[in-house]
Amino acid sequence: MFHFPSWTLTLRDMSGGVLLLAPLYVIGLVWFGASPKTTDAGYQPTQPIPYSHKLHAGDLKIDCRYCHNTVEDAAHSAVPPTATCMNCHSMIFTESHKLTPLRESFETGEPIEWVRIHDLPDYAYFNHSAHVNRGVGCVSCHGRVDKMEVVWQHEPLSMGWCLDCHREPELHLRPQSEITNMDWAPANQREIGQRLKELNGINPPTNCSTCHR
Amino acid sequence: MAGKTYAPLKGIDNTGDVPGPRTPLILENKTYGQITEQVCSVVEDPKVHRTWLLSFMAAVTFLGVLFSLIVYLIVTGVGVWGNQIPVAWGWPIVNFVFWVGIGHAGTLISAILFLLRQDWRTSINRFAEAMTIFAVVCAGTFPGIHVGRIWLAYWLFPLPNQMLMWPNFRSPLLWDVFAVGTYASVSLVFWYMGMIPDLATIRDRARHPLRRLGYGILSLGWRGSARAWHRYERAYLLLAALATPLVLSVHTVVSFDFAVSQLPGWHTTIFPPYFVAGAIFSGFAMVVTLAVPARAFYGMRNIITMRHLENMNKVILATGSMVGYAYSMEFFIAWYGGNKYEQFAFMNRAFGPYAWAYWTMVSCNVITPQIFWFKKCRTSIPIMMVAAILVNVGMWFERFVITVTSLARDFLPSSWGYFHPTIVDILMLIGSFGLFFTLFLLFLRFLPMIAISEVKSVMPFPKPTQKQPSEVESAPVPSVN
């Protein structure tokens, strides 16, 4: 009579271990899948010009809308053209070698090839003005840009992340006057948000046609 | 059968029951050992038979065709099929329903006939279960590749994800995922569990250490103790009881793919039982188609006897008549319901551009099985082979007729069309047979095609030519089974 080879007993014990490890594996997989890294959060490419938001928005306190001037009117928030930079840099740091690409762009008319960080797929139609005009501050979605030497993607921009806010906007709504204020962080956010939500009739849609037009 | 006797066919006629002792299911008065030898020798034969090898090579070729076409499909897009608007479900879905239907006889034989204590199932159940598994593999392929974006097919599963999106549980196509998934896994467990004692037998007989190791691992250390057998029987009964509602529900869910829609010709409440009857009908026809050559080729005529084949033909007759009833009922309801779209749908089937398909279906599915009212036909190998193949052709056409004719002409005459299959459609259907037969031939070669332990349970007690237990006590420990 053939006996089950005894070394398979170790296999059997190992299979017990595998069964124990399986839930860990699943949890790990979910953990990894839900990790911000998976959705590109933290993406920080090198830009053609080492432009510092920390310097301009943070230290110099330039309002966000000075450069990103279409954000209240258009679906797309503009990256400023070379001309906007040259408003100041035709006279400031005219010799800086860091700004060489800027001057070249101004002379040749060729645009600077900034690397886009917040890149939604083209089947998702995001509208900046719809959010900015209803009390969603820059900081809610882009993080503390005024403290970023080089900008990175702060939030996952995943659909689940969008829906979280559309289902509970009171956690992020702020008065219109504080839209570009990066420091604004009230203790009673939920209360304020709730009041603003009712006052302005904010009822974010969660159906498909809102974004996937 | 009382009062009438039939001339014995070649050899012993065990197809009739005479009052008194029941005619045996297993012929030739073999001992347990001889049955083991007979079944195991197929698997143990060191020589690869030429016929097997040639069939296997042919099957693998068609399998290769299927795989290359799937790659071609994924790279190019679903437009390589003849599917168009209005007929967006063409051959792939027809093939899917066809193969799922084929798979149903296996579970019917192994589970429902087990619950009904039909002893004749023991000779064919292994066979039929293997057929189920392989048919479900073929079936599962088609909905998988039928979606235009195969790489997103995992969205069908309710997995937590970064989109906070879940599948819509109202769609029968999603129920299909669960139904076919459950069906495949339960059938696999059922088949494998039933095979463990037989695998242990092959393990015990194996000479080569590699074979011993392989079958040793597959048989999971089965020793055939009374306690193990007791639990095995309990588990088998439970699985049979679980698989029985599955047989009925899986094809019901498949029928919902059509019945839940509002298309005239699809929106019918008769579909669930009618599809299930059709599935059993085609499945049994497939078992006959496979069993007849296999029993001849491997010399299993004494185990899969004429009585088994006759019983299967009776099931084919019964379910074929149910299918025929459903066909006529569809027409009756179309007339009786007074809905002009439905009336048109059925007139279109019988007399429209697809009349050729409709009448092929009717002649294969309704007329052909009626010959099994005659015992001569039920017990004649050539007749039953032809009939079984015709039934399978007919059942393929049934799915084709239901799917395509209803879609091609529906509510708006401006969206009428005619379906033209492409060469990819045709080769994929043939390729799916390649997949099926590749797996089936591998099964015949490497696994016991007859449930040895179950067949022994329906055999008459071994003849006294076998040694009595008292005589073997001093001998070395006998092998299990």
Side-chain angles (χ1 to χ4, degrees), chain A residues 54-109:
Chain A
K54 182 177 180 295
L55 173 68
H56 294 82
D59 302 345
L60 301 175
K61 302 238 179 302
I62 304 177
D63 188 274
C64 307
R65 288 163 292 193
Y66 177 73
C67 299
H68 302 293
N69 54 356
T70 63
V71 76
E72 288 171 311
D73 310 312
H76 178 71
S77 167
V79 173
T82 306
T84 309
C85 307
M86 291 308 278
N87 286 348
C88 303
H89 285 290
S90 53
M91 278 168 287
I92 303 171
F93 296 129
T94 49
E95 300 302 316
S96 165
H97 68 276
K98 285 182 182 172
L99 295 179
T100 313
L102 176 71
R103 291 188 295 270
E104 274 175 13
S105 161
F106 190 67
E107 280 157 22
T108 59

Side-chain angles (χ1 to χ4, degrees), chain B residues 41-53:
Chain B
S41 60
V42 173
V43 179
E44 287 162 354
D45 189 1
K47 205 171 91 249
V48 179
H49 207 284
R50 239 171 60 118
T51 316
W52 183 90
L53 193 67

Side-chain angles (χ1 to χ4, degrees), chain A residues 1-2 4 7 158-160, chain B residues 162 164-165 203 212-213 216 221:
Chain A
M1 181 172 154
F2 173 72
F4 209 49
W7 60 265
S158 68
M159 185 167 139
Chain B
Q162 82 288 355
L164 299 185
M165 288 286 284
R203 168 202 69 195
R212 205 155 55 186
L213 181 68

Side-chain angles (χ1 to χ4, degrees), chain B residues 114-196:
Chain B
F114 179 77
L115 294 183
L116 299 175
R117 298 285 183 265
Q118 293 297 307
D119 285 343
W120 59 277
R121 67 177 268 289
T122 52
S123 300
I124 48 171
N125 71 337
R126 175 68 42 71
F127 219 81
E129 284 165 33
M131 189 193 75
T132 293
I133 309 279
F134 307 144
V136 170
V137 169
C138 294
T141 308
F142 283 104
I145 57 172
H146 186 249
V147 293
R149 300 179 191 188
I150 189 172
W151 47 94
L152 296 180
Y154 69 94
W155 286 9
L156 285 164
F157 298 104
L159 300 167
N161 56 54
Q162 82 288 355
M163 300 179 291
L164 299 185
M165 288 286 284
W166 286 76
N168 184 350
F169 282 89
R170 286 175 180 180
S171 167
L173 301 181
L174 183 68
W175 309 340
D176 267 350
V177 175
F178 296 114
V180 177
T182 314
Y183 191 57
S185 44
V186 170
S187 304
L188 192 65
V189 169
F190 200 32
W191 183 56
Y192 180 55
M193 206 197 92
M195 210 154 35
I196 287 177

Side-chain angles (χ1 to χ4, degrees), chain B residues 8 11 196 286 306 309 362 370:
Chain B
I196 287 177
M286 195 61 152
M306 186 53 79
L309 298 176
V362 168
Q370 300 308 319

Side-chain angles (χ1 to χ4, degrees), chain B residues 239-250:
Chain B
L239 270 177
L242 282 172
T244 298
L246 263 185
V247 181
L248 304 179
S249 66
V250 170

